[in-house]
Short mmCIF file of all heavy atoms in Angstrom, two decimals:
data_model
loop_
_atom_site.label_atom_id
_atom_site.label_comp_id
_atom_site.label_asym_id
_atom_site.label_seq_id
_atom_site.Cartn_x
_atom_site.Cartn_y
_atom_site.Cartn_z
N ALA A 380 7.73 203.67 -36.75
CA ALA A 380 8.67 203.30 -37.81
C ALA A 380 9.90 202.66 -37.18
O ALA A 380 10.56 203.27 -36.34
CB ALA A 380 9.06 204.52 -38.63
N GLU A 381 10.19 201.42 -37.58
CA GLU A 381 11.30 200.68 -36.98
C GLU A 381 12.62 201.40 -37.19
O GLU A 381 13.01 201.69 -38.32
CB GLU A 381 11.36 199.28 -37.57
CG GLU A 381 10.15 198.42 -37.24
CD GLU A 381 10.28 197.02 -37.79
OE1 GLU A 381 11.37 196.69 -38.29
OE2 GLU A 381 9.30 196.25 -37.71
N GLY A 382 13.30 201.69 -36.09
CA GLY A 382 14.62 202.29 -36.14
C GLY A 382 14.68 203.73 -36.58
O GLY A 382 15.75 204.27 -36.78
N LYS A 383 13.51 204.39 -36.74
CA LYS A 383 13.52 205.76 -37.24
C LYS A 383 13.05 206.76 -36.20
O LYS A 383 13.10 207.96 -36.42
CB LYS A 383 12.64 205.88 -38.49
CG LYS A 383 13.14 205.04 -39.66
CD LYS A 383 12.26 205.21 -40.88
CE LYS A 383 12.76 204.37 -42.05
NZ LYS A 383 11.91 204.51 -43.25
N GLY A 384 12.56 206.28 -35.06
CA GLY A 384 12.15 207.17 -33.99
C GLY A 384 10.99 208.07 -34.32
O GLY A 384 10.84 209.14 -33.74
N LYS A 385 10.16 207.68 -35.27
CA LYS A 385 8.99 208.48 -35.62
C LYS A 385 7.85 207.55 -36.02
O LYS A 385 8.03 206.34 -36.11
CB LYS A 385 9.30 209.46 -36.74
CG LYS A 385 9.74 208.81 -38.04
CD LYS A 385 10.03 209.86 -39.10
CE LYS A 385 10.41 209.22 -40.42
NZ LYS A 385 10.68 210.21 -41.48
N GLU A 386 6.69 208.15 -36.24
CA GLU A 386 5.53 207.35 -36.60
C GLU A 386 5.23 207.49 -38.09
O GLU A 386 5.49 208.53 -38.70
CB GLU A 386 4.31 207.80 -35.79
CG GLU A 386 4.43 207.47 -34.30
CD GLU A 386 3.16 207.85 -33.55
OE1 GLU A 386 2.55 208.88 -33.92
OE2 GLU A 386 2.78 207.11 -32.62
N MET A 387 4.66 206.43 -38.64
CA MET A 387 4.28 206.41 -40.05
C MET A 387 2.77 206.24 -40.15
O MET A 387 2.14 205.58 -39.33
CB MET A 387 4.97 205.23 -40.75
CG MET A 387 6.49 205.25 -40.68
SD MET A 387 7.23 206.53 -41.70
CE MET A 387 6.91 205.83 -43.33
N ASP A 388 2.19 206.86 -41.19
CA ASP A 388 0.77 206.64 -41.47
C ASP A 388 0.57 205.23 -42.00
O ASP A 388 1.35 204.75 -42.82
CB ASP A 388 0.26 207.66 -42.49
CG ASP A 388 0.18 209.06 -41.91
OD1 ASP A 388 -0.40 209.21 -40.83
OD2 ASP A 388 0.70 210.00 -42.55
N ALA A 389 -0.49 204.58 -41.54
CA ALA A 389 -0.79 203.22 -41.97
C ALA A 389 -2.30 203.04 -41.97
O ALA A 389 -3.05 203.90 -41.51
CB ALA A 389 -0.11 202.20 -41.06
N ILE A 390 -2.75 201.91 -42.52
CA ILE A 390 -4.17 201.59 -42.49
C ILE A 390 -4.41 200.38 -41.59
O ILE A 390 -3.57 199.49 -41.51
CB ILE A 390 -4.73 201.33 -43.91
CG1 ILE A 390 -4.01 200.15 -44.55
CG2 ILE A 390 -4.65 202.57 -44.76
CD1 ILE A 390 -4.64 199.71 -45.86
N GLU A 391 -5.54 200.39 -40.94
CA GLU A 391 -5.93 199.27 -40.08
C GLU A 391 -7.23 198.67 -40.64
O GLU A 391 -8.26 199.35 -40.73
CB GLU A 391 -6.15 199.73 -38.64
CG GLU A 391 -6.56 198.61 -37.71
CD GLU A 391 -6.81 199.13 -36.29
OE1 GLU A 391 -7.58 200.09 -36.14
OE2 GLU A 391 -6.21 198.57 -35.36
N LEU A 392 -7.18 197.42 -41.05
CA LEU A 392 -8.34 196.76 -41.62
C LEU A 392 -9.36 196.44 -40.53
O LEU A 392 -9.01 196.00 -39.45
CB LEU A 392 -7.94 195.46 -42.31
CG LEU A 392 -6.99 195.60 -43.51
CD1 LEU A 392 -6.55 194.23 -44.00
CD2 LEU A 392 -7.65 196.37 -44.63
N GLN A 393 -10.61 196.69 -40.86
CA GLN A 393 -11.71 196.37 -39.97
C GLN A 393 -12.41 195.09 -40.47
O GLN A 393 -12.20 194.67 -41.61
CB GLN A 393 -12.71 197.54 -39.93
CG GLN A 393 -12.07 198.86 -39.53
CD GLN A 393 -11.42 198.80 -38.16
OE1 GLN A 393 -12.08 198.48 -37.16
NE2 GLN A 393 -10.13 199.11 -38.10
N PRO A 394 -13.24 194.45 -39.64
CA PRO A 394 -13.94 193.24 -40.09
C PRO A 394 -14.72 193.49 -41.38
O PRO A 394 -15.24 194.58 -41.61
CB PRO A 394 -14.89 192.92 -38.91
CG PRO A 394 -14.20 193.52 -37.72
CD PRO A 394 -13.52 194.76 -38.22
N ILE A 395 -14.77 192.47 -42.21
CA ILE A 395 -15.44 192.58 -43.52
C ILE A 395 -16.92 192.94 -43.32
O ILE A 395 -17.60 192.35 -42.49
CB ILE A 395 -15.33 191.26 -44.29
CG1 ILE A 395 -13.85 190.99 -44.64
CG2 ILE A 395 -16.15 191.29 -45.57
CD1 ILE A 395 -13.62 189.65 -45.30
N VAL A 396 -17.37 193.90 -44.11
CA VAL A 396 -18.78 194.29 -44.06
C VAL A 396 -19.52 193.63 -45.22
O VAL A 396 -18.94 193.38 -46.28
CB VAL A 396 -18.94 195.82 -44.13
CG1 VAL A 396 -18.28 196.47 -42.95
CG2 VAL A 396 -18.37 196.37 -45.43
N PRO A 397 -20.80 193.32 -45.06
CA PRO A 397 -21.57 192.71 -46.14
C PRO A 397 -21.65 193.62 -47.35
O PRO A 397 -21.59 194.84 -47.23
CB PRO A 397 -22.96 192.50 -45.52
CG PRO A 397 -22.73 192.54 -44.04
CD PRO A 397 -21.60 193.49 -43.82
N GLY A 398 -21.79 193.01 -48.51
CA GLY A 398 -22.02 193.78 -49.73
C GLY A 398 -20.79 194.10 -50.55
O GLY A 398 -20.90 194.78 -51.58
N MET A 399 -19.59 193.65 -50.13
CA MET A 399 -18.39 193.92 -50.91
C MET A 399 -18.43 193.13 -52.21
O MET A 399 -18.80 191.95 -52.22
CB MET A 399 -17.13 193.57 -50.12
CG MET A 399 -16.91 194.44 -48.90
SD MET A 399 -15.38 194.02 -48.01
CE MET A 399 -14.15 194.67 -49.13
N GLN A 400 -18.05 193.78 -53.32
CA GLN A 400 -18.00 193.12 -54.61
C GLN A 400 -16.80 192.16 -54.68
O GLN A 400 -15.89 192.21 -53.84
CB GLN A 400 -17.92 194.15 -55.73
CG GLN A 400 -19.08 195.12 -55.77
CD GLN A 400 -20.41 194.41 -56.01
OE1 GLN A 400 -20.50 193.54 -56.86
NE2 GLN A 400 -21.44 194.80 -55.26
N GLU A 401 -16.80 191.29 -55.69
CA GLU A 401 -15.78 190.25 -55.80
C GLU A 401 -14.36 190.81 -55.80
O GLU A 401 -13.48 190.35 -55.07
CB GLU A 401 -16.02 189.43 -57.06
CG GLU A 401 -15.04 188.29 -57.26
CD GLU A 401 -15.30 187.53 -58.54
OE1 GLU A 401 -16.12 188.00 -59.36
OE2 GLU A 401 -14.68 186.46 -58.72
N CYS A 402 -14.12 191.83 -56.62
CA CYS A 402 -12.77 192.40 -56.72
C CYS A 402 -12.40 193.14 -55.44
O CYS A 402 -11.23 193.12 -55.02
CB CYS A 402 -12.67 193.33 -57.92
SG CYS A 402 -12.73 192.46 -59.51
N GLU A 403 -13.35 193.81 -54.82
CA GLU A 403 -13.10 194.46 -53.55
C GLU A 403 -12.70 193.44 -52.49
O GLU A 403 -11.75 193.66 -51.73
CB GLU A 403 -14.35 195.20 -53.07
CG GLU A 403 -14.61 196.55 -53.69
CD GLU A 403 -15.76 197.25 -53.00
OE1 GLU A 403 -16.93 196.95 -53.32
OE2 GLU A 403 -15.50 198.10 -52.12
N LEU A 404 -13.42 192.34 -52.43
CA LEU A 404 -13.16 191.32 -51.42
C LEU A 404 -11.78 190.71 -51.60
O LEU A 404 -11.05 190.48 -50.63
CB LEU A 404 -14.24 190.25 -51.50
CG LEU A 404 -14.28 189.23 -50.36
CD1 LEU A 404 -14.50 189.93 -49.02
CD2 LEU A 404 -15.38 188.20 -50.61
N GLU A 405 -11.40 190.46 -52.85
CA GLU A 405 -10.08 189.89 -53.11
C GLU A 405 -8.98 190.88 -52.72
O GLU A 405 -7.95 190.49 -52.16
CB GLU A 405 -9.95 189.52 -54.58
CG GLU A 405 -8.57 189.00 -55.00
CD GLU A 405 -8.16 187.73 -54.28
OE1 GLU A 405 -9.06 187.00 -53.78
OE2 GLU A 405 -6.95 187.46 -54.20
N LEU A 406 -9.19 192.18 -52.98
CA LEU A 406 -8.22 193.19 -52.56
C LEU A 406 -8.10 193.21 -51.04
O LEU A 406 -7.00 193.31 -50.48
CB LEU A 406 -8.62 194.58 -53.07
CG LEU A 406 -7.74 195.75 -52.61
CD1 LEU A 406 -6.30 195.57 -53.05
CD2 LEU A 406 -8.30 197.08 -53.12
N TYR A 407 -9.24 193.13 -50.35
CA TYR A 407 -9.22 193.10 -48.88
C TYR A 407 -8.37 191.92 -48.40
O TYR A 407 -7.55 192.07 -47.48
CB TYR A 407 -10.65 192.99 -48.35
CG TYR A 407 -10.73 192.92 -46.83
CD1 TYR A 407 -10.87 194.06 -46.07
CD2 TYR A 407 -10.64 191.70 -46.18
CE1 TYR A 407 -10.93 194.00 -44.68
CE2 TYR A 407 -10.70 191.62 -44.79
CZ TYR A 407 -10.85 192.77 -44.05
OH TYR A 407 -10.90 192.69 -42.68
N HIS A 408 -8.55 190.75 -49.00
CA HIS A 408 -7.80 189.57 -48.57
C HIS A 408 -6.30 189.74 -48.83
O HIS A 408 -5.47 189.29 -48.03
CB HIS A 408 -8.32 188.32 -49.28
CG HIS A 408 -9.67 187.87 -48.80
ND1 HIS A 408 -9.99 187.78 -47.46
CD2 HIS A 408 -10.78 187.48 -49.48
CE1 HIS A 408 -11.25 187.35 -47.34
NE2 HIS A 408 -11.74 187.17 -48.54
N MET A 409 -5.94 190.41 -49.93
CA MET A 409 -4.52 190.66 -50.20
C MET A 409 -3.94 191.62 -49.17
O MET A 409 -2.82 191.41 -48.68
CB MET A 409 -4.34 191.20 -51.61
CG MET A 409 -4.55 190.17 -52.70
SD MET A 409 -3.98 190.70 -54.35
CE MET A 409 -5.16 191.98 -54.74
N LEU A 410 -4.68 192.67 -48.83
CA LEU A 410 -4.21 193.60 -47.80
C LEU A 410 -4.06 192.89 -46.47
O LEU A 410 -3.08 193.11 -45.73
CB LEU A 410 -5.19 194.77 -47.67
CG LEU A 410 -5.22 195.77 -48.83
CD1 LEU A 410 -6.46 196.64 -48.75
CD2 LEU A 410 -3.97 196.64 -48.83
N ALA A 411 -5.01 192.02 -46.13
CA ALA A 411 -4.94 191.27 -44.88
C ALA A 411 -3.73 190.35 -44.86
O ALA A 411 -3.03 190.22 -43.84
CB ALA A 411 -6.23 190.48 -44.66
N ALA A 412 -3.46 189.69 -45.99
CA ALA A 412 -2.30 188.80 -46.07
C ALA A 412 -1.00 189.58 -45.92
O ALA A 412 -0.05 189.12 -45.29
CB ALA A 412 -2.31 188.05 -47.41
#
Side-chain angles (χ1 to χ4, degrees):
E381 295 183 8
K383 297 181 180 180
K385 61 180 182 180
E386 292 184 324
M387 302 288 289
D388 290 310
I390 60 172
E391 180 182 52
L392 297 174
Q393 303 302 303
I395 295 175
V396 298
M399 294 182 73
Q400 301 298 316
E401 181 181 10
C402 290
E403 280 188 278
L404 191 60
E405 176 61 22
L406 176 60
Y407 179 92
H408 288 314
M409 288 193 291
L410 289 165

